[in-house]
Amino acid sequence: MQKYLYDLATDKNKNFFAGVIKVFLFLLSLLYGLIVLLLIFIYRFKPCRLKCRVISVGNITLGGTGKTALVEFIAGYLKNKGQKVAILSRGYKRKVTSHKPQATSHEAMGDEPYMLKTQLKDIPVLVDSCRCRSGWLAINNYAADTVILDDGFQQWKIKKDLEIVTIDAANPFGNRRMLPRGILRQPVSTLKKVDVFVLTKTDLHKDTEPLRSFLQRINPAALIFESRHKPVGFYRIREGQAQLGADIFKGKKVALVCAIADPGYFESTVKSLSIDIGLSFSFPDHYLYCRKDLEDVFKKSAQQNIETILTTQKDAAKIISVLPDDDQAKVFVLRVKLEIIKDEQIFYHRLLKLYSL
């Protein structure tokens, strides 16, 4: 059902019956948009004010824009500059629903927060549906002077010092309709309040000038940066950060497995390394694997004489939890990092400006 509704929202399903449903979804999207605008209006009068710097990193559409990679990028940079940073996340689709902001497993945290915790090591990553509550916990328990809201654009209750929005350069706004008829989570007009736009996946969509011009018309004061996800190497799934070169599988036939919002970008990144993709297995975003899923992957790969399986950092922990010991050596994780393509120093300056106010 989730995939069917997404196909309707992205106009992939164009038959007559789908057209009838789209009319109903369009009416719902109008109501949804009005509710969003009303909530934004109400919450701005008495926002939660945390006694620290608050940086929001989010998007205006459904997932897959690279916001979590940007959170990692910003958190690592600020920590190296001496700031005491904590990351606040909702923990989407985590199994444990009780109030445990200091959870440590991927089941209790959700895949993206767990990935951040694994990559950033000593930077606290707190999961809670109430970011204000976890924000105070970060201040009181970890002496945080900066909190980063992962997926924070829709956190209208919190007073923010810097609003950053990531936008997929290849598909910035879908069909420009609100959920559930489109993929917009709030009206495009709300981008007027954004401080910084980061265009992602610009290595696949290099002509960003029309998008930049559109954003500048909406919000002339905002800074606009371009970025890409740069592959930096691989590691065996059980060996954490042990690095293998990015060219280790050059010319080799592999299979891909992932459960992310944009599997096509993962495939394109792997292809950019001159790797031959023999098979590609895509599951719904945030999907929780079971052993049968992986057995099917290994079986079909073996039939094609494929011995190497590649996956993403986001998928790694979920795969490990159901991966048979005999198959561990076959699975490798692609390590990527976000890279600001130009004007990187201006981006850093904008971050550090928060601490001179």
Side-chain angles (χ1 to χ4, degrees), residues 15-71:
N15 60 43
F16 174 77
F17 182 67
V20 174
I21 298 177
K22 287 177 184 179
V23 173
F24 176 67
L25 294 179
F26 174 68
L27 296 176
L28 288 179
S29 71
L30 294 177
L31 177 61
Y32 174 80
L34 288 173
I35 292 173
V36 167
L37 290 174
L38 179 61
L39 289 174
I40 293 173
F41 177 78
I42 292 173
Y43 289 140
R44 73 176 184 176
F45 287 107
K46 195 176 181 180
C48 170
R49 296 178 182 271
L50 297 173
K51 293 183 179 179
C52 67
R53 302 293 190 274
V54 178
I55 300 172
S56 169
V57 178
N59 59 14
I60 196 171
T61 59
L62 291 179
T65 62
K67 61 184 180 301
T68 303
L70 182 59
V71 168

Side-chain angles (χ1 to χ4, degrees), residues 305-329:
N305 294 318
I306 298 174
E307 298 180 350
T308 302
I309 312 296
L310 304 183
T311 191
T312 72
Q313 294 167 269
K314 178 176 170 179
D315 290 290
K318 295 181 295 181
I319 289 178
I320 287 175
S321 66
V322 294
L323 182 66
D325 292 341
D326 294 342
D327 295 316
Q328 292 176 14

Side-chain angles (χ1 to χ4, degrees), residues 65-275:
T65 62
K67 61 184 180 301
T68 303
L70 182 59
V71 168
E72 179 183 349
F73 178 84
I74 293 172
Y77 174 76
L78 292 179
K79 179 180 180 297
N80 288 337
K81 289 295 181 180
Q83 306 305 141
K84 295 182 178 179
V85 183
I87 296 171
L88 312 183
S89 175
R90 179 176 58 154
Y92 182 66
K93 281 198 173 181
R94 59 192 179 114
K95 280 188 175 181
V96 179
T97 57
S98 60
H99 173 47
K100 292 184 178 180
Q102 296 166 291
T104 57
S105 68
H106 81 86
E107 294 93 347
M109 296 184 72
D111 49 15
E112 290 175 346
Y114 185 81
M115 180 186 73
L116 287 170
K117 180 178 178 61
T118 302
Q119 301 302 326
L120 296 171
K121 306 269 183 217
D122 52 351
I123 293 180
V125 180
L126 307 180
V127 291
D128 195 332
S129 58
C130 177
R131 310 290 177 90
C132 194
R133 180 167 57 202
S134 58
W136 284 115
L137 183 67
I139 294 169
N140 294 330
N141 288 20
Y142 298 99
D145 60 27
T146 306
V147 296
I148 303 175
L149 308 180
D150 181 20
D151 196 13
F153 193 38
Q154 285 73 44
Q155 293 298 308
W156 309 305
K157 294 181 180 180
I158 298 179
K159 179 70 173 64
K160 304 166 187 176
D161 298 292
L162 187 64
E163 185 85 81
I164 302 174
V165 169
T166 58
I167 296 181
D168 181 346
N171 185 28
F173 310 114
N175 59 17
R176 301 204 178 192
R177 299 192 185 280
M178 298 284 293
L179 290 168
R181 178 59 189 89
I183 60 173
L184 286 174
R185 300 168 72 182
Q186 59 189 75
V188 173
S189 60
T190 59
L191 294 176
K192 294 177 181 179
K193 302 295 184 181
V194 173
D195 300 302
V196 174
F197 293 110
V198 177
L199 311 186
T200 61
K201 306 177 187 178
T202 57
D203 48 333
L204 292 186
H205 191 81
K206 298 183 184 299
D207 183 16
T208 60
E209 192 54 40
L211 177 56
R212 294 176 69 98
S213 297
F214 177 77
L215 294 173
Q216 286 170 347
R217 288 196 301 272
I218 292 177
N219 187 344
L223 296 174
I224 303 176
F225 300 93
E226 299 182 11
S227 71
R228 71 178 183 120
H229 289 68
K230 180 181 178 181
V232 295
F234 294 89
Y235 59 88
R236 293 185 186 275
I237 196 165
R238 286 286 187 185
E239 295 179 5
Q241 294 305 300
Q243 288 290 315
L244 301 171
D247 61 349
I248 189 172
F249 299 117
K250 185 176 181 180
K252 188 169 184 177
K253 191 175 183 180
V254 305
L256 306 185
V257 57
C258 67
I260 57 177
D262 189 358
Y265 190 61
F266 177 43
E267 291 184 18
S268 298
T269 303
V270 172
K271 286 180 180 178
S272 73
L273 299 173
S274 299
I275 297 173

